[in-house]
Each structure stands twice: as structure tokens, then as C-alpha cells.
Amino acid sequence: MSLASLQMDDSVNNETDFVPKRGLLESEIYTCTVKMAYMSESSGGAKTLNLSLETADGRVVDNKVYLTSGRAKGQKNYSVSNKTGERNYLQGFNLGNSLAALSIGQPIGNVELEDKVLKIWDNDLKEEVPTTVPVFAALLGQPIVAGIKQKIVDAVTNVAAEGELAQWKPNGKVKEINEFDKFFRASDNLTTAEILAGITEGDYINTWRTNNAGKTIDESTVPSGATQSAAALSTPEAVAKPQQSIFG
């Protein structure tokens, strides 16, 4: 039996060591680049920011960030306290707004949308199809520091009848996910609150790390031992444009 086909050849690249760029990230602070950011609307009318961040080692994390309430609540970016009547921005809006403010110095409501064709998952066809979506083009390629949490949450199934609005209900299983929790400016690790307060040497990033780093947060309602899963998506990359800073 000949071993000729097993001989080494200098024109062929040798073996290298590498770390697979898959799987969940543990809860920690990560230096990232905005890979994709586009708008969509949920079946209930909530406006969502579909956000993909790429870490320094090339891992991509995708989240849907809900910027507004649904049609039933007026598609507003804030809620009103039943006790005090105070208005507070929704958590998702604060997250999306801070991403824009910390990366390009603009509130997210001032960032222009540009139509681009992306491959988007189609639930009916069960595959990715070319779809025109409004993209926050100025955010693409921008650096951002992200506090990312690892969580265990309920897996859900759509129980609505065909043709009705989606009704997502827990299906008795759980899944592990990564979730964007807090953003920091890449140049100095400051939060929007610290910048607006005139603070030049922020400390909240250390507080976040102390409270969250290395921890997996269990938000599921399913008994321990249920099946766990994780999903990762990949989205196209584009080029960013600078804008005038909101912070002066």
C-alpha cells in the first residue's frame, strides 16, 4: 500500500491551533464592533432593533431589542407609572439609544435609516430569504463595549392559530442565551448616565463586572434538568458613517 498521498508538501498550509468561534459567551464585559443593526416590527407592533455585535475574537452575538411597546399600548418608547404617573423610557429603548449615543454621539431617533437587502429568516418558508430592511447604517462598524449576560430562559412555541397574531408560550423546555445588558463608550468605558453627569472617570463598568461576570442567570420557570439549547445567527456586514456628537 502506497503512502504517497500522505506525504507533506511545502505548498500546503500546516496545522494551526484555534479556538472555535461558536457557543455562548459567559457573562462579562466585551469589546465589540457593531456588525448589523436594522429595524423591524413584531407581530404585535413593537418596533425592534435587530442587533448583531462581533467580539474582538470574532464571535457574533445577536439580540432583538424592543424599542417601543406594541400597538395595544400605543407603540411608545416609554411607560407610565401607575403609582406616580412618571414617564420612564423602556429598558430596550434605553439600551438602543445608549448604543447610538455612545458609538456615534446621536440619539437613536436621529439616526437615518437606509434600505438594504439582507438575508432574513422567514418563518413560513423556514429559510433565509433576501429581504429589504431599514438599516441604521451609521452604526455599522462602530466600536462599543458591551456588558453581555448569559441566561437560562424558557423556550417558547407559537400557539396561535394560522393567520392570527403570534402567541408565544413556554413549551416546557429551556434554552441558554446571551443578552446585551449594558453599553459603555469604547474610548473610556463611560455610560451615557456618567457622561451626562459630567463624570470623566466612570466606575459603573466595575460595578457591572462585580455583579455579573461569570454568572449564569436563571430566569426560566421550568424545573431543573430540562433540555437546554442555544442558537446563533450570522448577518452581513456593512460600512459605517460618522455623525456629529450628541455630547458636544
Side-chain angles (χ1 to χ4, degrees):
M1 180 181 293
S2 173
L3 298 180
S5 62
L6 302 182
Q7 298 305 308
M8 300 289 288
D9 186 329
D10 289 340
S11 67
V12 180
N13 293 327
N14 286 321
E15 175 189 8
T16 59
D17 296 326
F18 69 98
V19 177
K21 296 176 182 179
R22 297 180 180 178
L24 290 168
L25 300 174
E26 71 173 24
S27 298
E28 188 49 279
I29 300 291
Y30 294 91
T31 299
C32 301
T33 300
V34 180
K35 188 173 179 67
M36 181 48 61
Y38 70 90
M39 281 275 288
S40 65
E41 190 170 296
S42 72
S43 59
K47 297 185 183 299
T48 63
L49 167 62
N50 300 270
L51 181 61
S52 297
L53 299 183
E54 184 172 10
T55 64
D57 67 352
R59 298 195 183 197
V60 177
V61 181
D62 306 288
N63 273 191
K64 277 186 178 290
V65 179
Y66 289 88
L67 301 174
T68 75
S69 58
R71 283 184 291 271
K73 294 185 178 181
Q75 293 181 307
K76 300 184 184 300
N77 63 354
Y78 63 87
S79 62
V80 181
S81 170
N82 292 329
K83 292 184 178 180
T84 66
E86 291 182 336
R87 296 183 176 188
N88 294 293
Y89 286 120
L90 301 178
Q91 181 179 355
F93 175 80
N94 277 332
L95 191 65
N97 196 52
S98 68
L99 172 70
L102 294 170
S103 60
I104 64 172
Q106 291 286 326
I108 196 167
N110 289 359
V111 183
E112 292 185 4
L113 293 168
E114 298 181 15
D115 285 344
K116 293 183 180 292
V117 178
L118 305 178
K119 285 189 175 182
I120 306 296
W121 181 260
D122 187 295
N123 286 326
D124 295 325
L125 299 176
K126 305 301 180 186
E127 63 179 356
E128 290 184 337
V129 298
T131 307
T132 300
V133 294
V135 174
F136 291 101
L139 299 182
L140 306 185
Q142 295 292 338
I144 195 72
V145 174
I148 299 177
K149 289 182 177 180
Q150 183 176 358
K151 289 185 173 184
I152 300 173
V153 298
D154 291 331
V156 295
T157 300
N158 181 16
V159 298
E162 186 175 354
E164 294 182 354
L165 289 179
Q167 298 181 40
W168 299 98
K169 300 291 185 181
N171 60 22
K173 297 182 179 181
V174 300
K175 61 181 180 179
E176 291 188 25
I177 64 169
N178 280 137
E179 182 178 273
F180 304 140
D181 182 70
K182 191 71 176 180
F183 292 132
F184 308 85
R185 190 161 63 182
S187 60
D188 50 20
N189 292 333
L190 291 173
T191 66
T192 51
E194 288 171 333
I195 294 168
L196 293 173
I199 296 173
T200 57
E201 294 184 9
D203 188 55
Y204 185 76
I205 192 169
N206 298 319
T207 300
W208 192 98
R209 181 178 280 119
T210 298
N211 290 336
N212 299 291
K215 299 176 181 178
T216 300
I217 302 165
D218 191 346
E219 295 184 344
S220 68
T221 60
V222 179
S224 178
T227 303
Q228 297 184 8
S229 63
L233 300 176
S234 178
T235 51
E237 193 170 2
V239 180
K241 299 188 303 183
Q243 292 192 9
Q244 184 178 358
S245 173
I246 190 177
F247 300 117

